[in-house]
Structures are given as C-alpha cells and as structure tokens.
Amino acid sequence: MNPILKNNNFNRLNNNFDQLKEAYKSIRTNIQFSNVDENIKSILVTSSKQNEGKSVVISNLAESFSSLEKKIIIIDADLRNPTIHKIFGLSNELGLTNIITKNKELEDCVYKDEVLGLDILTSGTIPPNPSELLHSEKVKELIDNLKKEYDYIFIDSPPIGIVTDAGILASFSDGVIFVVGSDEVDNKMVKISKDRLYKVNANILGVILNKYKCNQNEYNYYKETD
Ligand SMILES: Nc1ncnc2c1ncn2[C@@H]1O[C@H](COP(=O)(O)OP(=O)(O)OP(=O)(O)O)[C@@H](O)[C@H]1O
Ligand SMILES: [Mg+2]
C-alpha cells in the first residue's frame, strides 16, 4: 500500500484507497496527454488559499507518477508553511533555501525515497524574505538543471490568492495545477487567483477539485458485481 495514501487520515476516513488511486491515475493520464504537444516537466501546484490540499495532492500525484518508473522530484517551495517534510517524515534542516542561499549542493540536500522511488527536496531553513529568495535567478537555474535529470518536477507552493510567491514560481514552471478545496473557497477568490496566474502567463494544465464529498454510488460506476 502506498504509504502516503495510507498515512493520510482523510484517506482512512474515506475508506477507499482504490478509488483515490484511480482518481490520481486519471489526473496523471491527463497530464501525460498535455505532454503530447508540449514538453511539460516542471509542474507547480497551487490554490487560492491555505488548507485546500495542495501538499497532499502533490505528494500523491508524484507517487502516482513514480509508479510508472518515471524519475520524479518534489520540491517544497512553500517557504511560508512548508509541510512536505512532515508528510514524508523527513528532517527539514537542509533543503531548497540552503541550495539557494548557502550554495549547498543538491546532492547534500535531496532525500531519495527508495520505497516510493522518488526524490524530495524539502524547503530547508525558512528565510525572512521568501518572495525575494524565490525571485532569485538561482531558483530558475536549479529547476532548469533538474529538468535534465528528472522526468517530472513537482513544486509545492503557498496559495496564490494570499501571497505572490506562487506567481513567481508559475512564471517559470512549464505547467500549473490549480487545486480547489470544495466548500473551502468562493468563486470570487478562485477568479482572482486565476487572473493572477494568467497575468504571469502561467500555463494552467487543469483544476483539481479536492475534498469533494461524493456519494459512494456516483463513484462505483465500474465496480465489479458478484
Ligand atoms: N481530499 C481530502 N479530503 C479530506 N481532507 C483532505 C483532503 N486533502 C487534504 N486534506 C486535509 O486538509 C488539510 C490541508 O491539506 P494540505 O496541507 O495538503 O493543504 P495545503 O493547501 O497544502 O495547505 P497550506 O496552504 O497551508 O500549505 C490536511 O489536514 C489534509 O490531510
Ligand atoms: Mg501546503
């Protein structure tokens, strides 16, 4: 069983890992289709506000891709509220910020999860000036270099409706996935966020409606019967 899927309490509550895995597979397929015409390697995940599920979505999506034997790295670029290290149970002593500010090497900071088959770069030490740091040419350079080594780079970010950091990251990511937490955000806020993404010429690959409480019967469409 996928440890990320298993470790999330909400998945236990949903009591249906298979449906969840299918949902991520379907998102994965859609991303792969987007890749037919464009070479999409760096994918930013953002949302309008906090708590809509960005970090959980990115973790599950990265794992779904790594099961295809793709070379994957997750980067925690949410320098306001980093959580990727918590989801994967890692230390956050060394990470992205240490590469950007202290000239640490990637190899010193990246964690290789042999079980899940993916690499993780946590945020690292939290700086007082996150936006400035993300503006640094070094972040773009790092991601460009990673593209030579990885099939997909998944970048976690703070909410674009609240702070500008995600806009900076979106401007140099190949694609953006926009998470909408069902019942967590209103249309106005979603529109503001979408406009911010368009303003930086973000390539919005699609929207994931998260935390949607569906009727079990709606989803059991293809379930085998006895
Ligand atoms: N599909 C879901 N169903 C129920 N709970 C969920 C779902 N997705 C995420 N959650 C829960 O919602 C909370 C917020 O998730 P997460 O940390 O991924 O959000 P976030 O958008 O990254 O927040 P932040 O902006 O603060 O980084 C967590 O407790 C997580 O377990
Ligand atoms: Mg998060």
Side-chain angles (χ1 to χ4, degrees), residues 55 76-87 92 97 121-127 156-158:
S55 303
D76 195 349
D78 184 346
L79 304 184
R80 315 264 175 178
N81 178 29
T83 52
I84 292 296
H85 62 287
K86 293 182 193 158
I87 291 177
N92 195 22
T97 58
L121 182 63
T122 66
S123 72
T125 321
I126 301 303
D156 196 8
S157 70

mmCIF file of all heavy atoms in Angstrom, residues 55 76-87 92 97 121-127 156-158:
data_model
loop_
_atom_site.group_PDB
_atom_site.id
_atom_site.type_symbol
_atom_site.label_atom_id
_atom_site.label_comp_id
_atom_site.label_asym_id
_atom_site.label_seq_id
_atom_site.Cartn_x
_atom_site.Cartn_y
_atom_site.Cartn_z
ATOM 1 N N SER A 55 -0.483 20.317 -0.757
ATOM 2 C CA SER A 55 0.658 19.456 -0.398
ATOM 3 C C SER A 55 0.282 17.976 -0.460
ATOM 4 O O SER A 55 1.083 17.148 -0.904
ATOM 5 C CB SER A 55 1.166 19.825 0.997
ATOM 6 O OG SER A 55 1.507 21.193 1.016
ATOM 7 N N ASP A 76 9.648 21.424 -2.190
ATOM 8 C CA ASP A 76 8.772 22.229 -1.341
ATOM 9 C C ASP A 76 9.201 23.688 -1.446
ATOM 10 O O ASP A 76 10.146 24.132 -0.793
ATOM 11 C CB ASP A 76 8.834 21.755 0.119
ATOM 12 C CG ASP A 76 7.670 22.330 0.928
ATOM 13 O OD1 ASP A 76 6.987 23.238 0.400
ATOM 14 O OD2 ASP A 76 7.442 21.868 2.064
ATOM 15 N N ALA A 77 8.488 24.436 -2.289
ATOM 16 C CA ALA A 77 8.781 25.866 -2.438
ATOM 17 C C ALA A 77 7.738 26.692 -1.684
ATOM 18 O O ALA A 77 7.581 27.877 -1.950
ATOM 19 C CB ALA A 77 8.828 26.247 -3.906
ATOM 20 N N ASP A 78 7.034 26.047 -0.770
ATOM 21 C CA ASP A 78 6.153 26.808 0.129
ATOM 22 C C ASP A 78 7.010 27.250 1.304
ATOM 23 O O ASP A 78 7.141 26.539 2.307
ATOM 24 C CB ASP A 78 4.964 25.957 0.589
ATOM 25 C CG ASP A 78 3.994 26.781 1.434
ATOM 26 O OD1 ASP A 78 4.384 27.897 1.863
ATOM 27 O OD2 ASP A 78 2.867 26.327 1.669
ATOM 28 N N LEU A 79 7.624 28.408 1.149
ATOM 29 C CA LEU A 79 8.549 28.887 2.180
ATOM 30 C C LEU A 79 7.802 29.596 3.311
ATOM 31 O O LEU A 79 8.402 30.096 4.244
ATOM 32 C CB LEU A 79 9.601 29.821 1.554
ATOM 33 C CG LEU A 79 10.412 29.227 0.395
ATOM 34 C CD1 LEU A 79 11.482 30.208 -0.075
ATOM 35 C CD2 LEU A 79 11.057 27.890 0.768
ATOM 36 N N ARG A 80 6.474 29.645 3.213
ATOM 37 C CA ARG A 80 5.657 30.247 4.278
ATOM 38 C C ARG A 80 5.197 29.183 5.264
ATOM 39 O O ARG A 80 5.216 29.367 6.460
ATOM 40 C CB ARG A 80 4.416 30.919 3.695
ATOM 41 C CG ARG A 80 4.679 31.769 2.478
ATOM 42 C CD ARG A 80 4.841 33.195 2.838
ATOM 43 N NE ARG A 80 5.217 33.984 1.663
ATOM 44 C CZ ARG A 80 5.389 35.290 1.690
ATOM 45 N NH1 ARG A 80 5.221 35.954 2.813
ATOM 46 N NH2 ARG A 80 5.753 35.941 0.609
ATOM 47 N N ASN A 81 4.758 28.066 4.702
ATOM 48 C CA ASN A 81 4.243 26.995 5.555
ATOM 49 C C ASN A 81 4.636 25.643 4.949
ATOM 50 O O ASN A 81 3.798 24.923 4.412
ATOM 51 C CB ASN A 81 2.714 27.126 5.665
ATOM 52 C CG ASN A 81 2.119 26.009 6.502
ATOM 53 O OD1 ASN A 81 2.765 25.484 7.403
ATOM 54 N ND2 ASN A 81 0.894 25.619 6.183
ATOM 55 N N PRO A 82 5.930 25.310 5.027
ATOM 56 C CA PRO A 82 6.369 24.064 4.386
ATOM 57 C C PRO A 82 5.853 22.833 5.128
ATOM 58 O O PRO A 82 5.921 22.781 6.358
ATOM 59 C CB PRO A 82 7.897 24.150 4.466
ATOM 60 C CG PRO A 82 8.190 25.119 5.545
ATOM 61 C CD PRO A 82 7.002 26.012 5.718
ATOM 62 N N THR A 83 5.334 21.870 4.369
ATOM 63 C CA THR A 83 4.811 20.663 5.037
ATOM 64 C C THR A 83 5.273 19.359 4.384
ATOM 65 O O THR A 83 4.995 18.288 4.919
ATOM 66 C CB THR A 83 3.259 20.644 5.063
ATOM 67 O OG1 THR A 83 2.809 20.860 3.744
ATOM 68 C CG2 THR A 83 2.676 21.675 5.993
ATOM 69 N N ILE A 84 5.954 19.463 3.239
ATOM 70 C CA ILE A 84 6.352 18.232 2.545
ATOM 71 C C ILE A 84 7.200 17.340 3.468
ATOM 72 O O ILE A 84 7.033 16.123 3.498
ATOM 73 C CB ILE A 84 7.084 18.567 1.226
ATOM 74 C CG1 ILE A 84 6.104 19.196 0.219
ATOM 75 C CG2 ILE A 84 7.772 17.334 0.628
ATOM 76 C CD1 ILE A 84 4.962 18.305 -0.248
ATOM 77 N N HIS A 85 8.091 17.947 4.243
ATOM 78 C CA HIS A 85 8.931 17.137 5.148
ATOM 79 C C HIS A 85 8.080 16.399 6.175
ATOM 80 O O HIS A 85 8.397 15.282 6.565
ATOM 81 C CB HIS A 85 10.006 17.998 5.830
ATOM 82 C CG HIS A 85 9.470 19.078 6.704
ATOM 83 N ND1 HIS A 85 8.869 20.214 6.195
ATOM 84 C CD2 HIS A 85 9.414 19.196 8.050
ATOM 85 C CE1 HIS A 85 8.484 20.986 7.201
ATOM 86 N NE2 HIS A 85 8.801 20.394 8.323
ATOM 87 N N LYS A 86 6.975 17.030 6.582
ATOM 88 C CA LYS A 86 6.094 16.369 7.568
ATOM 89 C C LYS A 86 5.358 15.200 6.919
ATOM 90 O O LYS A 86 5.246 14.126 7.499
ATOM 91 C CB LYS A 86 5.074 17.369 8.132
ATOM 92 C CG LYS A 86 5.707 18.463 8.971
ATOM 93 C CD LYS A 86 4.642 19.387 9.531
ATOM 94 C CE LYS A 86 5.281 20.649 10.086
ATOM 95 N NZ LYS A 86 4.346 21.762 10.162
ATOM 96 N N ILE A 87 4.862 15.421 5.719
ATOM 97 C CA ILE A 87 4.117 14.355 5.029
ATOM 98 C C ILE A 87 5.001 13.122 4.841
ATOM 99 O O ILE A 87 4.570 11.993 5.033
ATOM 100 C CB ILE A 87 3.573 14.862 3.668
ATOM 101 C CG1 ILE A 87 2.483 15.897 3.906
ATOM 102 C CG2 ILE A 87 3.045 13.706 2.811
ATOM 103 C CD1 ILE A 87 1.901 16.530 2.652
ATOM 104 N N ASN A 92 13.919 18.835 8.089
ATOM 105 C CA ASN A 92 13.896 19.966 7.153
ATOM 106 C C ASN A 92 15.127 20.854 7.346
ATOM 107 O O ASN A 92 15.104 22.039 7.056
ATOM 108 C CB ASN A 92 12.613 20.793 7.344
ATOM 109 C CG ASN A 92 12.374 21.731 6.184
ATOM 110 O OD1 ASN A 92 12.887 21.505 5.088
ATOM 111 N ND2 ASN A 92 11.622 22.792 6.412
ATOM 112 N N THR A 97 16.179 26.219 0.296
ATOM 113 C CA THR A 97 16.768 27.522 0.668
ATOM 114 C C THR A 97 18.277 27.408 0.898
ATOM 115 O O THR A 97 19.011 28.367 0.653
ATOM 116 C CB THR A 97 16.122 28.078 1.951
ATOM 117 O OG1 THR A 97 16.302 27.112 2.991
ATOM 118 C CG2 THR A 97 14.649 28.368 1.761
ATOM 119 N N LEU A 121 12.998 17.317 -2.206
ATOM 120 C CA LEU A 121 13.794 18.444 -1.736
ATOM 121 C C LEU A 121 12.875 19.270 -0.844
ATOM 122 O O LEU A 121 11.924 19.903 -1.326
ATOM 123 C CB LEU A 121 14.287 19.284 -2.928
ATOM 124 C CG LEU A 121 15.180 20.469 -2.600
ATOM 125 C CD1 LEU A 121 16.487 20.018 -1.939
ATOM 126 C CD2 LEU A 121 15.498 21.273 -3.858
ATOM 127 N N THR A 122 13.112 19.214 0.458
ATOM 128 C CA THR A 122 12.248 19.950 1.393
ATOM 129 C C THR A 122 12.579 21.443 1.286
ATOM 130 O O THR A 122 13.504 21.839 0.572
ATOM 131 C CB THR A 122 12.433 19.432 2.829
ATOM 132 O OG1 THR A 122 13.765 19.733 3.258
ATOM 133 C CG2 THR A 122 12.190 17.936 2.922
ATOM 134 N N SER A 123 11.856 22.271 2.015
ATOM 135 C CA SER A 123 12.056 23.730 1.866
ATOM 136 C C SER A 123 13.410 24.184 2.395
ATOM 137 O O SER A 123 13.981 25.143 1.896
ATOM 138 C CB SER A 123 10.954 24.484 2.602
ATOM 139 O OG SER A 123 11.161 24.368 3.999
ATOM 140 N N GLY A 124 13.886 23.517 3.438
ATOM 141 C CA GLY A 124 15.097 23.994 4.111
ATOM 142 C C GLY A 124 14.745 25.102 5.092
ATOM 143 O O GLY A 124 13.561 25.400 5.326
ATOM 144 N N THR A 125 15.763 25.731 5.642
ATOM 145 C CA THR A 125 15.574 26.785 6.646
ATOM 146 C C THR A 125 14.690 27.905 6.098
ATOM 147 O O THR A 125 14.903 28.384 4.988
ATOM 148 C CB THR A 125 16.952 27.382 7.001
ATOM 149 O OG1 THR A 125 17.886 26.320 7.045
ATOM 150 C CG2 THR A 125 16.928 28.128 8.309
ATOM 151 N N ILE A 126 13.718 28.298 6.909
ATOM 152 C CA ILE A 126 12.779 29.318 6.433
ATOM 153 C C ILE A 126 13.402 30.715 6.508
ATOM 154 O O ILE A 126 13.839 31.156 7.572
ATOM 155 C CB ILE A 126 11.477 29.300 7.282
ATOM 156 C CG1 ILE A 126 10.848 27.919 7.184
ATOM 157 C CG2 ILE A 126 10.495 30.368 6.819
ATOM 158 C CD1 ILE A 126 10.545 27.473 5.785
ATOM 159 N N PRO A 127 13.428 31.405 5.382
ATOM 160 C CA PRO A 127 14.041 32.742 5.358
ATOM 161 C C PRO A 127 13.045 33.829 5.764
ATOM 162 O O PRO A 127 11.831 33.618 5.687
ATOM 163 C CB PRO A 127 14.397 32.895 3.877
ATOM 164 C CG PRO A 127 13.337 32.119 3.176
ATOM 165 C CD PRO A 127 12.907 31.005 4.082
ATOM 166 N N ASP A 156 5.659 22.406 -4.833
ATOM 167 C CA ASP A 156 4.598 22.830 -3.904
ATOM 168 C C ASP A 156 4.776 24.322 -3.633
ATOM 169 O O ASP A 156 5.904 24.829 -3.608
ATOM 170 C CB ASP A 156 4.714 22.036 -2.591
ATOM 171 C CG ASP A 156 3.445 22.137 -1.748
ATOM 172 O OD1 ASP A 156 2.431 22.680 -2.236
ATOM 173 O OD2 ASP A 156 3.467 21.660 -0.592
ATOM 174 N N SER A 157 3.671 25.016 -3.413
ATOM 175 C CA SER A 157 3.778 26.472 -3.257
ATOM 176 C C SER A 157 2.735 26.993 -2.277
ATOM 177 O O SER A 157 1.778 26.301 -1.963
ATOM 178 C CB SER A 157 3.554 27.137 -4.620
ATOM 179 O OG SER A 157 2.204 26.991 -5.008
ATOM 180 N N PRO A 158 2.910 28.243 -1.832
ATOM 181 C CA PRO A 158 1.881 28.851 -0.993
ATOM 182 C C PRO A 158 0.679 29.252 -1.850
ATOM 183 O O PRO A 158 0.786 29.273 -3.085
ATOM 184 C CB PRO A 158 2.563 30.102 -0.424
ATOM 185 C CG PRO A 158 3.942 30.096 -0.911
ATOM 186 C CD PRO A 158 4.039 29.130 -2.046
#
